[in-house]
Amino acid sequence: MTVSKKILVVLPSNVGGAERVTVTISGFLISAGYDVKYVILSDRIGSIKDILPVRQTTELVKIRNIWDFTITKLVKLLRRERPAYVFSSLRYINPRVLMAAKIVGGIKVVVRNDNGLLTARWDNKLLMRLTYRWANAIIAQQEEMRQELIQEMHLPEKKVHAINNPLSTHEIDKMMNAPSPYPETVGKKYLCAGRFFYNKGQDLVCEAFKEVLAQIPNAHLYLLGKYDKEDPYFIKVNRFICDHHLGDQVHLIGHESNPFKWMRHCDCFVLPSRYEGTPNSLIEAMYVGCPVVATRCIPMIERMVKNGYNGILVEPENIHEMAEGMIKACDLHDFKMTYRPGTPQDFLTLFEQ
């Protein structure tokens, strides 16, 4: 069946887990025959261009920050494009998209929450409370997040859908087969992926790794993810590395366009988070066959990881338990995926209403 509905997908210029999931979902729409156009809110098109389908139309809506007349600019765009749907997937963008669509009228909106409300700023939470009732459908990454949205945003249950994050398996399969990025001379290779942020817990994995070295002296820890050298949290982590003379064995890789080759060839993937929405990197690591260590920072992680089978579960902020888990996890092999990703039809249904 040929589908001609136009859908605008609104994104920021940089890449994180939420952006990757958004592009994966939009790929399902493209495969189903929808006319998808990407709208980038930024002063430039940054690293997001690396993960967008090359044949799709992309438009830059220039803003210096989210307060730079974003709604006005989106209204102008929607009036010109007249899409059937707009799809956005980040809490600070979603209310602006909903307000612009409400002003223009006749445009349906599907939004996805990239995280729970615990980490939302008060002003953004207020905007969500005011605007989410206008959405045609709201995607929550898990049932706990769905109930939180229904209760705190006072939303009807039928509007909020709990759908597990999808996996772009075709893309992962292609990228994970790239050559190993690790030197052949290193011993056990531990990987932690995510932008440097307190909730992500890079400081915790560095402390745990120091204990690991007492038992595995030739181990190495690789930290993937965007960082700002002026950021206080990054400075704290880097100071710990320097103060404990770990610089030769803890490697700050920064942003990596292909994290899957790092996952495929490491001995253990570590998720040391204090809090998460749904950790895409953990799902991806398990998919490529990497044993994991993960904190029980949200209930869903205990449903994703089968303790002792494909990973080791530890309590948040328990450094000693994390270090022990990192040592034990390297002995786990030949396991199957225990997480059920969202299917294309799970998401397509929301755009057929």
Side-chain angles (χ1 to χ4, degrees), residues 46-284:
S47 54
I48 194 72
K49 67 179 183 298
D50 297 332
I51 66 169
L52 296 180
V54 293
R55 291 186 176 85
Q56 297 306 123
T57 306
T58 302
E59 180 167 341
L60 177 67
V61 174
K62 286 195 172 185
I63 60 170
R64 291 166 295 181
N65 56 60
I66 198 63
W67 301 101
D68 184 20
F69 299 99
T70 301
I71 297 169
T72 302
K73 293 173 183 180
L74 284 172
V75 166
K76 183 178 179 181
L77 174 73
L78 295 183
R79 283 176 173 159
R80 169 165 53 85
E81 294 286 337
R82 299 302 309 186
Y85 282 88
V86 183
F87 174 47
S88 61
S89 196
L90 286 95
R91 291 175 310 188
Y92 73 97
I93 293 177
N94 294 345
R96 275 88 180 173
V97 168
L98 286 162
M99 282 188 267
K102 183 71 172 178
I103 292 169
V104 175
I107 298 172
K108 296 180 179 180
V109 180
V110 175
V111 297
R112 174 182 168 275
N113 244 36
D114 58 320
N115 219 320
L117 298 179
L118 179 65
T119 60
R121 283 176 21 171
W122 70 269
D123 55 339
N124 197 49
K125 194 181 292 187
L126 176 61
L127 288 174
M128 292 166 66
R129 187 170 285 115
L130 291 171
T131 61
Y132 265 39
R133 56 198 171 95
W134 298 331
N136 293 83
I138 300 163
I139 302 170
Q141 301 175 47
Q142 53 192 258
E143 184 58 32
E144 290 87 358
M145 190 181 292
R146 176 177 180 267
Q147 292 301 324
E148 181 185 54
L149 284 168
I150 291 169
Q151 292 166 17
E152 293 204 28
M153 301 286 113
H154 307 294
L155 296 167
E157 291 196 7
K158 64 180 181 180
K159 184 171 285 195
V160 189
H161 307 263
I163 306 177
N164 285 349
N165 284 357
L167 273 178
S168 180
T169 54
H170 174 74
E171 193 68 16
I172 295 173
D173 290 343
K174 181 174 62 176
M175 297 175 73
M176 76 179 187
N177 288 320
S180 171
Y182 302 103
E184 293 182 2
T185 54
V186 303
K188 294 294 184 185
K189 303 173 288 293
Y190 293 93
L191 178 68
C192 176
R195 66 187 177 92
F196 271 71
F197 185 57
Y198 177 78
N199 283 343
K200 294 294 185 182
Q202 284 91 350
D203 59 315
L204 302 175
V205 74
C206 287
E207 289 188 53
F209 180 70
K210 183 175 178 291
E211 291 192 17
V212 170
L213 284 175
Q215 297 190 48
I216 311 176
N218 64 341
H220 285 251
L221 172 64
Y222 296 82
L223 302 178
L224 265 62
K226 183 179 178 182
Y227 59 82
D228 178 357
K229 290 183 177 180
E230 306 301 320
D231 176 67
Y233 180 67
F234 174 80
I235 292 171
K236 173 188 175 181
V237 175
N238 198 40
R239 184 181 297 122
F240 179 88
I241 294 170
C242 295
D243 290 349
H244 292 85
H245 310 290
L246 300 175
D248 290 337
Q249 290 174 279
V250 177
H251 310 276
L252 304 174
I253 305 302
H255 171 71
E256 170 56 60
S257 59
N258 182 2
F260 309 115
K261 64 182 179 182
W262 294 84
M263 295 175 181
R264 175 69 184 275
H265 296 284
C266 74
D267 294 291
C268 174
F269 180 88
V270 187
L271 185 92
S273 301
R274 294 178 168 95
Y275 183 76
E276 283 282 351
T278 297
N280 297 303
S281 59
L282 183 68
I283 300 165
E284 292 159 351

